[in-house]
Amino acid sequence: MKSTLKSIGYLLFVISLLMFNNNVDAQDIFNQKNSSKFAYHLFEIGDYPAASYEFLHILSLDKANNTIRNMCVKSICNEHHFEEALSCLKEIRFEDLNDTLRIKYYFLLLQTSRFKEFDILIVCEKKLNETSIENVLIYKSLNNNNKK
């Protein structure tokens, strides 16, 4: 008897859904804008592993977003995973990086002791202004002095 009542209840539910054919869409909480807000929130509260995961997810949808890439690199660097941060920057062509990301790229090359690659790139650098290049070179000399 109970199973029959249960079956009738399910049947009535399905019939009511069919009769009142309202197109109810699910809330779109997984769009890029909401994901970005969530990732920024995680970064602001200091949950860098979760923030970097979220930023990487957004980058998988929009590889050309330099703002999100910058935040992703910041999150990963705050975890002291410099190789991973450098890999995040290497996912796109060096020429496509904006000035902020180019400087971070140079700093990460130095942080990961890739001096030859740094020297080759800095000589060919045409996009950054001279002050930025000088700051990177100062950082390189300070980094070299600290390693001695």
Side-chain angles (χ1 to χ4, degrees):
M1 182 75 171
K2 284 185 180 180
S3 65
T4 307
L5 287 175
K6 204 176 202 181
S7 298
I8 291 173
Y10 287 130
L11 183 61
L12 289 174
F13 176 72
V14 170
I15 290 171
S16 66
L17 285 177
L18 293 173
M19 285 179 58
F20 303 107
N21 188 12
N22 294 333
N23 289 333
V24 179
D25 294 328
Q27 184 179 2
D28 187 15
I29 60 172
F30 297 108
N31 64 25
Q32 188 171 339
K33 182 180 176 186
N34 290 337
S35 294
S36 294
K37 284 181 183 178
F38 182 57
Y40 276 100
H41 170 72
L42 292 170
F43 182 85
E44 288 171 10
I45 64 171
D47 190 352
Y48 303 120
S52 61
Y53 177 82
E54 289 298 320
F55 287 125
L56 285 168
H57 174 71
I58 297 166
L59 285 174
S60 71
L61 304 173
D62 182 10
K63 292 193 183 309
N65 190 330
N66 279 330
T67 304
I68 294 296
R69 189 168 304 278
N70 182 40
M71 290 304 297
C72 185
V73 169
K74 277 185 180 180
S75 298
I76 296 169
C77 284
N78 282 335
E79 298 177 75
H80 302 285
H81 297 152
F82 303 116
E83 290 284 343
E84 187 180 340
L86 187 58
S87 294
C88 179
L89 289 174
K90 286 185 171 187
E91 287 178 1
I92 59 174
R93 291 175 351 133
F94 181 76
E95 295 78 23
D96 294 336
L97 296 173
N98 64 18
D99 290 357
T100 302
L101 291 175
R102 287 170 91 87
I103 291 169
K104 287 184 181 183
Y105 190 93
Y106 286 123
F107 287 150
L108 287 168
L109 286 175
L110 295 173
Q111 192 69 34
T112 57
S113 301
R114 297 182 184 193
F115 301 112
K116 284 184 182 179
E117 189 176 348
F118 173 87
D119 290 336
I120 292 168
L121 286 174
I122 202 74
V123 168
C124 300
E125 181 61 62
K126 294 179 179 123
K127 191 174 179 184
L128 293 178
N129 63 41
E130 286 193 33
T131 305
S132 297
I133 293 173
E134 287 173 7
N135 288 337
V136 171
L137 292 172
I138 289 169
Y139 180 80
K140 178 185 180 188
S141 68
L142 290 173
N143 199 18
N144 284 342
N145 289 338
N146 288 338
K147 293 193 180 197
K148 289 180 182 179

